[in-house]
Amino acid sequence: MAKYRDVIGGCLFFIFAAVYYNMAFGIRQFAAGSGMVDSQFMPKVYGIILMILSAIQVLQGVYHIKKGETEADEGSGLTVAEQIFSFITSFLLLIIYVALLDSVGFIIMSALFITCMTMLLSTKEQRSGKKLMKVVAISVAFSVVVYLIFVQGFGLTLPDGILVF
């Protein structure tokens, strides 16, 4: 069963991506700028990218099975309990992000979410004060740049929250 892990996971994720893509058509349209980019544009792009990546994962899994390779990777080095903890924590962080996005704001919540996820997914050896400062700086810069691109460039509205511009 372990040798089919990539194929099964890729198929399940492809189904998820297809449902996500289909649901993007239900988003109310707000045109921005030239009319090509609207509120459905990025979710559709994400859905297509997820489906492509899922298909690649399935094809790689089939290739490894046909080649006779068993476990292609040595794993993450985490115990099952640590993997479950990481999985549950990731979803909790995502729920908190979405729940507080309107009241706190896109820039602050995105920077906090990126920082927390990066530190959660880093190995124990990679977690240090110096690394944390780099992660915070990059996540804040990324959040501000994305905010400016969508608000100033595309004319879309993102939650300001407690930061009023």
Side-chain angles (χ1 to χ4, degrees):
M1 188 68 167
K3 69 180 182 176
Y4 298 109
R5 180 181 66 197
D6 285 340
V7 175
I8 294 169
C11 288
L12 291 174
F13 206 68
F14 187 87
I15 292 168
F16 168 78
V19 169
Y20 174 82
Y21 178 76
N22 190 31
M23 290 176 68
F25 286 96
I27 297 173
R28 198 168 21 147
Q29 291 185 343
F30 296 104
S34 65
M36 183 180 125
V37 177
D38 60 8
S39 55
Q40 292 181 355
F41 180 75
M42 285 310 293
K44 288 178 185 176
V45 169
Y46 291 151
I48 291 169
I49 290 171
L50 288 173
M51 285 189 281
I52 291 170
L53 292 174
S54 303
I56 291 170
Q57 182 178 5
V58 169
L59 293 174
Q60 284 181 337
V62 169
Y63 174 76
H64 287 299
I65 290 170
K66 286 190 182 236
K67 203 172 173 188
E69 296 176 359
T70 51
E71 290 297 311
D73 60 342
E74 58 193 41
S76 62
L78 298 175
T79 65
V80 174
E82 290 172 331
Q83 290 177 359
I84 292 171
F85 174 77
S86 178
F87 179 77
I88 291 171
T89 306
S90 296
F91 273 107
L92 287 175
L93 286 173
L94 186 59
I95 290 168
I96 292 168
Y97 173 75
V98 172
L100 297 177
L101 189 60
D102 282 335
S103 59
V104 177
F106 176 82
I107 294 175
I108 295 172
M109 285 309 300
S110 295
L112 287 172
F113 179 74
I114 293 169
T115 301
C116 291
M117 285 300 294
T118 303
M119 297 312 287
L120 175 69
L121 298 174
S122 298
T123 62
K124 291 178 184 175
E125 295 81 30
Q126 293 174 333
R127 294 181 195 150
S128 67
K130 191 174 184 179
K131 165 97 176 186
L132 178 63
M133 296 311 291
K134 285 181 187 178
V135 168
V136 168
I138 291 170
S139 65
V140 168
F142 180 78
S143 298
V144 169
V145 167
V146 167
Y147 182 85
L148 291 174
I149 288 172
F150 278 88
V151 172
Q152 301 297 323
F154 296 140
L156 298 174
T157 304
L158 292 175
D160 290 333
I162 58 177
L163 297 178
V164 180
F165 293 105

